[in-house]
Amino acid sequence: MTNERPDPDALLARVRADEARAGRGRLKVFFGAAPGVGKTYAMLEEARARRAEGVDVLAGVVETHGRKETMALLDGLEVLPRRTLEYRGVSLQEFDLDAALARRPGLLLVDELAHTNAPGSRHVRRWQDVEELIDAGIDVYTTLNVQHLESLNDVVARITGVEVRETVPDAVLDAADQIEVADLSPDDLLQRLEAGKVYVPEQARRAIARFFRKGNLIALRELALRRAAERVDAQMRGYMREHGIRDTWPAGDRILVCVGHNPHSARLVRAARRMAAGLRCEWIALHVETPGHERLPARDRDTLVANLHLAEELGALIVTLYGLKATDEILAYARRHNVTRIIVGKPTHPRWRDLLVGSLLEGLVRGSGDIDVYVISGDEPEDAPRRAGRREAVAPGQYGWAVMVVAACTALNWLVFRHLNITDTAMVYLVGTVLVAARARRGPAVVASVLSIAAFDFFFVPPLFTFTVSDVNYFATFGVMLATTLLISAYTLRIRDQAEAAREREHRTGALYAMSRALAAAGGATALARAARRHIVGTLDADAVILLRAPDGTLTSADPGEPPLDEKELSVARWVADHGTPAGHATDTLPAARGLYVPLAAPGGVVGVLGLYAKDERRFDHPTTRQLLDALANQTALAIERAQLAERNAEGRVEMEAERLRTSLLSSLSHDLRTPLGAITGAASSLKGEAGDLSPGARAELLDTILEEASRMNRLIGNLLDMIRLESGSLAVKPDWQPLEEVVGVALIRLDARLKERPVTTSLPPDLPMVAMDGLLIEQVLVNLLENAAKYTPAGTPIELTAVAGEQAVTIAVLDRGPGVPPGEEARIFDKFHHVADGRAAGGIGLGLTICRGIVLAHGGRIWAENREGAGLAVRFTLPTGTPPPVTETEEATPAAE
């Protein structure tokens, strides 16, 4: 084994990852195939061992399910008390996350990672609680069954017929620091079930009949072991990358087959499939796209596409790489992914080509190291295209350009021949051949080189005007000219191909970047789909349609202006949405369809379908185009899913807010109605039961109590009705010009009993103008403000009511000397159901000030509150004065008549 120097970029990434993990806790998952295999038991055993080592262990939540041996392991461990939550009249016991964070143990046990928390908890799922604990630096042990993994949810449903609704994202398991598999054979697990060691007998019988069938358990066990093996393999490859280990560790087989445009590649693909099936291992079909790929004729491209499709059908992982040298890319990929066997075809081209451009086979064999290289040959298929002339034909104009350049160089040399050295003449021809090589293909460059040598010999090498050479040293000159031309032509062609490949990659990257910017700027799933469609049409040069999937499974076009699909095409799109695989044109599923339909698959499922209609029937056959299409589809799907999740979150917040308001309303009503009802009931009972024994004064006091509490209830119900009218927009303001003094007087009379223990002073200037207002509504505003002041001030403290006339409005203020409100609460006290968060308990439903704001705004004024200097609160509102109506002669004469 050879350990080479690690990649600096990999080291930097590792350092950053270590910095990100600094201060975080560690997560260990006890992973199993089904309930009862011993996950919780293994977790508790290891927790007891850690406790014996001196670690502070706390059992946050452990589900023993009544198993005696599991309960025995809890003895001696500190158990965190659970939190009680009330939900629909039922008391639920849940994990207390806040208590665990406050306790901060060295190791916390949190059973059943996929558990759904009761409503009212901070997080919906328990794995979210665990993530917060890890972020807080607390080590966590937890348990998880394979059927709860999100990526395997549908597989488990098909195997067992039971759809598991509590799932955990695969990223949570992948991010775990350790995974320990708790394994038990299906026969032993069934024995445990029958013995009542997993469920109570009645539940065990139902479980054996449904979920715990032996075939189900075998399949689930294989899924769990495979998933754990994938995790171990990923850890091993990560270790090899971190330590710069480039040799292959044959801990498990992985096969890589090299696929090209040669018809023999189909045989290689089938051989790789048979080898992978025999070894029961993963296999990869890899194609390296070099700069010269764009010059392949259409026939070879079709062969390449067919070979890759065959590999995909046989279950290979398809990988397409870009590079200057195929050998280096293949070996680098093989080492990164711990490939143990490479399958390559026996070369069929002439040997001289290997001498000029190098041999892929020889490069793989010499650079493979510990990787085995298998060379496979076979008879060429009868229908295989001939390999002769496989490069694209060169345009005749390029040969004409070569002849013209040589003629121009000859003319230039002839004009200045007498002033040039013979070597300089040769250099002029060399410059001309380089110019041809830079603008044409290899064939015209070779022609230009040969013609240049012939012209140089005929016109400038003695004896002139013959092809006879008197000095043999000129043959070396001719050879150098030819070799230089061919070399420059080869390198110029390679650089041009690289530039074309770079431009193509830049085009793809720019398309993805532009699309990501457009998706980031769009809002809502429909707008995102429209923006994505515009970019897909421009990038892929094909018409497109995006169908969004509704929660009930129906597909609707993101752009209503687009013509609807016919029933045939729509049925193909439905099939794609249901199965999550492409179908339609250029596929093997429903190929008669007019369009190619690709699922917009996101982590949460298929969110829609992308339909593409290209003028060129073979537009999407090329692997590079399909990769670009897949990238655009994935980007669109993720953006749409994020938008849909945001919309659902917004709806959820609205529902939560509505539920909170409803709860506050019911809670306030139950308190505020119960109090007056209790007083009325008590007073009425006293009047009825002790009518003969009561003095007239006591009887009058009881009647006053009934009247006062009934008035209080009437005001409360009136506030509710006013609030309903305000929110529905049915509150009608009927303004009338009237003096403010009358409205203030009526409001004080209504609250005479309520304000009898507080001195109330009014300050109303005699020159107050008349105001156009709805007297009943403004009276209600004053009543609510005065009652609010009385509610939040001690008995005996003064209340002031003032009014000041301005140029355009009258400002009315209610001032008290109570505790005021905390800073920052001045505006919030006008919100519905809002109570000041300072511990005061004055009761009330929290609608009075909200109604005041609505009424004042309906009059065109404004209302605000501010703390007074010293102590107390001032609530002020304005009413526009406007221009009062002119006074008629009858109105002027009325006072004199009186």
Side-chain angles (χ1 to χ4, degrees):
M1 182 182 71
T2 303
N3 290 4
E4 299 182 3
R5 182 182 178 183
D7 183 3
D9 293 335
L11 287 176
L12 179 60
R14 181 182 176 187
V15 170
R16 289 175 176 173
D18 292 341
E19 290 177 352
R21 285 201 55 81
R24 286 173 52 87
R26 300 179 63 82
L27 174 64
K28 182 171 183 177
V29 179
F30 291 82
F31 191 56
V37 297
K39 302 180 301 299
T40 305
Y41 191 90
M43 179 179 71
L44 289 172
E45 277 193 326
E46 184 158 343
R48 293 179 68 88
R50 295 290 304 278
R51 181 174 176 272
E53 296 171 359
V55 177
D56 179 18
V57 179
L58 175 66
V61 53
V62 176
E63 304 293 349
T64 63
H65 298 289
R67 302 166 191 158
K68 294 181 180 179
E69 62 273 18
T70 305
M71 295 175 64
L73 290 177
L74 273 175
D75 292 342
L77 293 179
E78 180 184 353
V79 179
L80 182 72
R82 298 198 185 185
R83 178 187 178 196
T84 302
L85 294 174
E86 297 291 335
Y87 180 68
R88 295 183 178 178
V90 179
S91 296
L92 302 176
Q93 300 291 320
E94 283 292 350
F95 169 59
D96 195 338
L97 175 60
D98 291 325
L101 291 170
R103 171 68 171 74
R104 294 190 64 82
L107 174 62
L108 183 66
L109 309 182
V110 182
D111 207 358
E112 296 187 359
L113 186 63
H115 173 76
T116 300
N117 294 328
S121 302
R122 183 183 308 171
H123 300 299
V124 177
R125 297 292 175 83
R126 186 169 288 169
W127 62 264
Q128 295 171 308
D129 295 340
V130 169
E131 284 192 336
E132 185 171 345
L133 293 166
I134 297 297
D135 290 338
I138 300 174
D139 293 347
V140 176
Y141 282 180
T142 188
T143 62
L144 179 68
N145 286 325
V146 68
Q147 64 264 29
H148 294 294
L149 274 180
E150 181 65 45
S151 64
L152 299 176
N153 186 256
D154 56 340
V155 178
V156 173
R158 288 198 298 269
I159 293 173
T160 64
V162 178
E163 184 177 358
V164 180
R165 300 189 180 277
E166 293 181 325
T167 59
V168 174
D170 288 57
V172 176
L173 185 64
D174 293 337
D177 298 278
Q178 287 181 278
I179 294 179
E180 181 173 318
V181 179
D183 187 36
L184 195 65
S185 69
D187 292 331
D188 292 340
L189 180 56
L190 290 174
Q191 288 180 3
R192 284 175 54 83
L193 273 168
E194 293 173 354
K197 295 182 178 181
V198 179
Y199 297 122
V200 296
E202 183 61 30
Q203 287 182 327
R205 283 193 293 271
R206 290 198 301 267
I208 294 174
R210 297 186 60 194
F211 187 85
F212 284 84
R213 293 194 295 267
K214 186 173 181 179
N216 293 352
L217 296 178
I218 293 174
L220 292 175
R221 188 187 188 196
E222 180 179 2
L223 285 176
L225 294 176
R226 284 183 179 274
R227 187 64 177 82
E230 291 174 4
R231 161 64 186 236
V232 173
D233 183 71
Q235 285 181 326
M236 182 183 68
R237 282 186 278 154
Y239 178 86
M240 294 172 66
R241 284 195 301 270
E242 291 174 1
H243 293 78
I245 301 173
R246 298 177 60 85
D247 294 335
T248 299
W249 286 0
D253 285 304
R254 181 174 285 109
I255 297 172
L256 184 148
V257 56
C258 302
V259 180
H261 53 266
N262 194 308
H264 294 171
S265 291
R267 175 179 172 82
L268 302 183
V269 169
R270 294 187 178 94
R273 171 66 179 85
R274 291 193 298 270
M275 186 180 294
L279 296 174
R280 296 183 178 274
C281 66
E282 178 186 2
W283 66 295
I284 303 162
L286 184 142
H287 167 66
V288 179
E289 193 171 291
T290 57
H293 179 83
E294 296 299 328
R295 293 184 282 116
L296 288 178
R299 185 167 49 191
D300 286 351
R301 296 184 186 181
D302 294 343
T303 304
L304 171 62
V305 170
N307 293 335
L308 292 176
H309 279 323
L310 175 62
E312 187 176 13
E313 290 175 359
L314 295 178
L317 172 64
I318 307 299
V319 178
T320 301
L321 302 178
Y322 306 92
L324 302 179
K325 194 173 181 181
T327 305
D328 296 340
E329 298 298 329
I330 293 171
L331 291 175
Y333 182 88
R335 292 191 182 98
R336 284 198 307 269
H337 295 81
N338 205 37
V339 171
T340 57
R341 308 183 187 205
I342 296 177
I343 298 178
V344 66
K346 182 182 291 185
T348 58
H349 53 260
R351 185 172 180 78
W352 62 263
R353 186 180 169 196
D354 291 341
L355 297 176
L356 290 178
V357 299
S359 171
L360 172 67
L361 175 59
E362 184 178 359
L364 289 177
V365 172
R366 289 184 178 277
S368 59
D370 295 335
I371 305 175
D372 296 333
V373 179
Y374 291 77
V375 183
I376 297 178
S377 65
D379 297 332
E380 189 166 342
E382 296 180 359
D383 58 346
R386 293 184 179 181
R387 308 306 300 167
R390 61 184 189 88
R391 295 293 182 185
E392 291 181 337
V394 180
Q398 294 189 6
Y399 289 101
W401 164 253
V403 174
M404 291 174 59
V405 170
V406 173
C409 292
T410 302
L412 178 61
N413 281 335
W414 184 258
L415 291 175
V416 295
F417 173 66
R418 297 174 182 175
H419 306 286
L420 292 178
N421 186 285
I422 188 69
T423 305
D424 297 332
T425 304
M427 291 299 102
V428 172
Y429 281 111
L430 187 59
V431 171
T433 55
V434 170
L435 181 61
V436 173
R439 298 191 57 180
R441 292 295 180 183
R442 183 176 288 109
V446 173
V447 170
S449 178
V450 174
L451 289 178
S452 296
I453 294 173
F456 176 64
D457 182 19
F458 187 81
F459 290 102
F460 303 106
V461 175
L464 301 180
F465 308 113
T466 67
F467 290 106
T468 303
V469 179
S470 60
D471 188 354
V472 294
N473 290 329
Y474 283 111
F475 287 107
T477 303
F478 299 156
V480 170
M481 287 180 64
L482 180 61
T484 304
T485 303
L486 294 177
L487 187 62
I488 292 176
S489 173
Y491 277 104
T492 303
L493 186 62
R494 178 180 296 182
I495 292 172
R496 190 165 57 197
D497 290 339
Q498 292 175 6
E500 292 176 359
R503 280 195 297 270
E504 183 65 24
R505 288 194 296 270
E506 182 182 4
H507 170 69
R508 300 190 199 112
T509 305
L512 292 173
Y513 176 68
M515 184 171 175
S516 64
R517 291 186 60 184
L519 295 180
T526 302
L528 283 170
R530 291 176 181 173
R533 177 186 173 277
R534 289 194 301 270
H535 281 270
I536 291 173
V537 169
T539 302
L540 298 178
D541 191 24
D543 195 10
V545 62
I546 293 182
L547 305 174
L548 297 179
R549 194 179 193 188
D552 59 358
T554 58
L555 296 175
T556 56
S557 175
D559 191 351
E562 288 291 319
L565 297 179
D566 57 38
E567 186 58 33
K568 177 183 175 182
E569 298 294 315
L570 191 58
S571 63
V572 179
R574 291 196 196 99
W575 189 93
V576 171
D578 293 337
H579 294 82
T581 56
H585 182 71
T587 69
D588 295 330
T589 305
L590 304 172
R594 182 172 63 91
L596 168 64
Y597 295 92
V598 180
L600 299 177
V606 177
V607 297
V609 175
L610 169 63
L612 296 160
Y613 313 92
K615 297 178 182 178
D616 183 4
E617 293 185 356
R618 310 191 68 84
R619 179 73 176 88
F620 301 109
D621 288 345
H622 196 278
T624 303
T625 306
R626 291 300 292 268
Q627 285 184 346
L628 178 59
L629 170 60
D630 292 340
L632 293 172
N634 290 337
Q635 200 172 14
T636 303
L638 291 173
I640 292 176
E641 185 184 49
R642 285 197 301 269
Q644 291 178 345
L645 289 175
E647 292 174 358
R648 285 198 288 269
N649 287 339
E651 294 173 358
R653 286 193 296 269
V654 171
E655 292 178 0
M656 290 177 60
E657 183 65 18
E659 181 67 25
R660 187 185 69 82
L661 293 178
R662 188 160 44 246
T663 303
S664 299
L665 177 61
L666 293 176
S667 175
S668 298
L669 279 176
S670 63
H671 176 271
D672 289 342
L673 289 177
R674 187 183 296 115
T675 301
L677 279 174
I680 293 173
T681 302
S685 299
S686 299
L687 285 173
K688 181 178 180 181
E690 304 175 7
D693 301 332
L694 292 174
S695 63
R699 184 188 302 272
E701 185 176 353
L702 290 174
L703 290 174
D704 289 341
T705 300
I706 293 174
L707 182 61
E708 182 179 349
E709 296 300 331
S711 299
R712 180 179 172 186
M713 286 184 60
N714 184 57
R715 286 195 301 273
L716 174 63
I717 295 173
N719 282 341
L720 288 173
L721 293 176
D722 289 341
M723 193 69 248
I724 294 173
R725 286 190 295 168
L726 280 172
E727 292 193 338
S728 63
S730 61
L731 181 67
V733 177
K734 300 177 180 178
D736 186 21
W737 292 96
Q738 51 187 305
L740 187 62
E741 296 87 341
E742 295 182 2
V743 178
V744 171
V746 174
L748 291 174
I749 292 173
R750 286 180 56 184
L751 293 176
D752 182 59
R754 180 72 170 165
L755 300 174
K756 60 184 179 182
E757 297 181 355
R758 291 168 179 80
V760 179
T761 59
T762 60
S763 176
L764 303 177
D767 57 346
L768 277 177
M770 297 182 68
V771 181
M773 59 181 172
D774 189 321
L776 293 177
L777 294 180
I778 298 302
E779 176 188 325
Q780 183 65 38
V781 171
L782 294 172
V783 167
N784 288 351
L785 294 180
L786 291 168
E787 189 174 33
N788 195 70
K791 185 187 301 182
Y792 290 102
T793 57
T797 55
I799 297 176
E800 303 175 46
L801 195 154
T802 66
V804 179
E807 293 183 0
Q808 298 179 348
V810 174
T811 302
I812 302 99
V814 176
L815 307 97
D816 62 52
R817 286 297 179 184
V821 296
E825 294 277 334
E826 292 89 344
R828 296 189 61 197
I829 61 175
F830 295 98
D831 294 341
K832 285 187 300 185
F833 308 121
H834 179 75
H835 294 85
V836 176
D838 61 353
R840 68 182 70 171
I845 198 171
L847 289 178
L849 294 179
T850 307
I851 293 171
C852 292
R853 181 178 61 184
I855 293 175
V856 171
L857 292 178
H859 279 78
R862 67 186 188 96
I863 187 170
W864 69 98
E866 54 190 12
N867 287 312
R868 300 179 68 185
E869 230 179 277
L873 182 70
V875 181
R876 294 183 171 88
F877 66 94
T878 63
L879 293 175
T881 53
T883 304
V887 182
T888 63
E889 294 181 0
T890 306
E891 291 173 335
E892 291 177 348
T894 301
E898 290 176 354

